[in-house]
Amino acid sequence: MTATHHDVREPDLEAVFQATIDADQRIEPRDWMPDDYRRTLIRQIAQHAHSEIIGMQPEGNWITRAPSLRRKAILLAKVQDEAGHGMYLYAAAETLGVDREELTEKLISATQKYSSIFNYPTPSYADVGVIGWLVDGAAICNQVPLCRCSYGPYARAMVRICKEESFHQRQGYELLLAMVNGTPEQQAMVQESVDRWWWPSLMMFGPADGDSPNTQQSMAWNIKRHTNDELRQRFVDMSVPQAEALGVTLPDPDLRWNPERQAHDFGEPDWSEFTAVIAGSGPANTQRLAHRRRAHENGAWVREAAQAYAEKHS
Ligand SMILES: [Fe+2]
Ligand SMILES: [Fe+2]
């Protein structure tokens, strides 16, 4: 905790903030913080919240067509968890002085981003498994270090989210295990899906360190703990033995173990595709935003009813 008394001059407040960061302690909502720190966190937490909410759509696509009651129950639970993650994160963002309504407006008007991974379509049921394994797996690599983020409300939200993400990763992997032990058609479905999702999953860690201008400041503030390339490497090293256990290949001819580095060498993602998808021309950008906008409009009566109820009881 840091002091925020009004009689403390700004340079002192800044020193107190810096000392809190240097001691690896948490900044709390009522503490003084630099404007850039606040802005960076609002942008990051909002993007993260939007990603959880938009992230319900690719898999939500399969809820009505899940092949068994068991698979349907698992998928429903997973998609509902993502809605919950969005809520925790919007609440964390609100502690920084923005409100959820404002953030939702920015999402549906495309002025704030969400993770570009959710702009890829899910034409195959194997995609449910591969998203759990690779996309939630990459999310875990990104998010576990955020449990130690310097901003208290964000760090605490991440602790709970990470527990649920590990369930998501396991349910995906378990589905894939069932499919690779199934018919040759099911095995082929898994491989085809892995071929589509591998590179977009690597792009989830963001651009290469040399092209990531905000990384250094975020690391100095203890918001970020590892660089994009470090996290990407960790994800590749984690995924290779899992792919072997599944009996699938990863679509990268340059992927091999490097005994000197004690890590895998791997190829370069297609960054022009990454830039294009972020800029809005991914295969499902328009569809995802239109769906979110429609859901927001269809939910207007619920917000009005809740507002009327709150006024009546205040
Ligand atoms: Fe999530
Ligand atoms: Fe998840």
Side-chain angles (χ1 to χ4, degrees), residues 20-282:
T20 308
I21 297 288
D22 293 344
D24 204 359
Q25 289 177 347
R26 304 281 91 83
I27 305 295
E28 296 297 338
R30 270 177 284 184
D31 295 339
W32 183 91
M33 62 188 85
D35 287 344
D36 281 348
Y37 177 83
R38 187 186 298 275
R39 258 196 301 274
T40 299
L41 276 166
I42 290 173
R43 190 187 346 105
Q44 179 170 338
I45 300 172
Q47 275 184 22
H48 192 165
H50 300 330
S51 302
E52 303 284 356
I53 296 298
I54 297 285
M56 290 192 283
Q57 291 185 38
E59 290 162 286
N61 176 39
W62 283 98
I63 290 173
T64 54
R65 291 171 290 152
S68 68
L69 183 60
R70 177 170 173 269
R71 290 294 167 199
K72 187 169 178 142
I74 294 170
L75 186 53
L76 266 175
K78 198 248 176 184
V79 172
Q80 282 182 333
D81 280 356
E82 306 299 7
H85 298 173
M87 298 305 109
Y88 304 155
L89 289 164
Y90 284 126
E94 285 188 316
T95 65
L96 291 159
V98 284
D99 72 40
R100 196 175 131 193
E101 185 65 30
E102 185 186 334
L103 297 178
T104 301
E105 286 302 327
K106 284 184 173 159
L107 169 63
I108 61 184
S109 63
T111 47
Q112 262 175 354
K113 306 275 185 213
Y114 55 88
S115 176
S116 61
I117 191 78
F118 302 117
N119 290 317
Y120 291 87
T122 46
S124 147
Y125 191 71
D127 292 343
V128 170
V130 172
I131 288 177
W133 173 38
L134 294 179
V135 175
D136 290 279
I140 292 170
C141 286
N142 268 329
Q143 294 175 4
V144 165
L146 288 172
C147 297
R148 295 184 297 121
C149 160
S150 60
Y151 188 59
Y154 192 27
R156 289 188 290 273
M158 291 320 301
V159 172
R160 175 125 183 217
I161 289 176
C162 283
K163 285 182 187 163
E164 295 177 346
E165 293 302 349
S166 92
F167 153 64
H168 298 171
Q169 211 251 357
R170 279 152 190 256
Q171 66 81 34
Y173 198 76
E174 192 265 349
L175 168 57
L176 295 179
L177 268 180
M179 291 186 80
V180 297
N181 287 303
T183 63
E185 287 83 356
Q186 288 174 312
Q187 292 161 4
M189 276 172 78
V190 173
Q191 183 63 60
E192 187 273 337
S193 176
V194 170
D195 290 345
R196 276 184 292 110
W197 288 96
W198 175 249
W199 291 109
S201 300
L202 290 192
M203 294 181 204
M204 284 176 71
F205 298 94
D209 292 349
D211 299 315
S212 179
N214 300 323
T215 291
Q216 229 176 358
Q217 180 61 77
S218 283
M219 287 181 74
W221 278 330
N222 290 346
I223 294 174
K224 212 169 160 157
R225 299 287 181 162
H226 309 282
T227 71
N228 297 352
D229 286 333
E230 283 166 11
L231 293 167
R232 195 171 2 252
Q233 179 74 58
R234 189 177 294 182
F235 175 71
V236 170
D237 292 336
M238 189 180 92
S239 301
V240 169
Q242 294 171 347
E244 276 164 18
L246 286 172
V248 294
T249 56
L250 298 171
D252 179 357
D254 298 324
L255 182 64
R256 63 182 58 84
W257 177 250
N258 180 332
E260 273 147 49
R261 290 202 307 121
Q262 287 292 299
H264 292 87
D265 292 335
F266 55 98
E268 194 74 25
D270 178 356
W271 294 115
S272 63
E273 176 184 318
F274 178 73
T275 313
V277 176
I278 285 189
S281 49

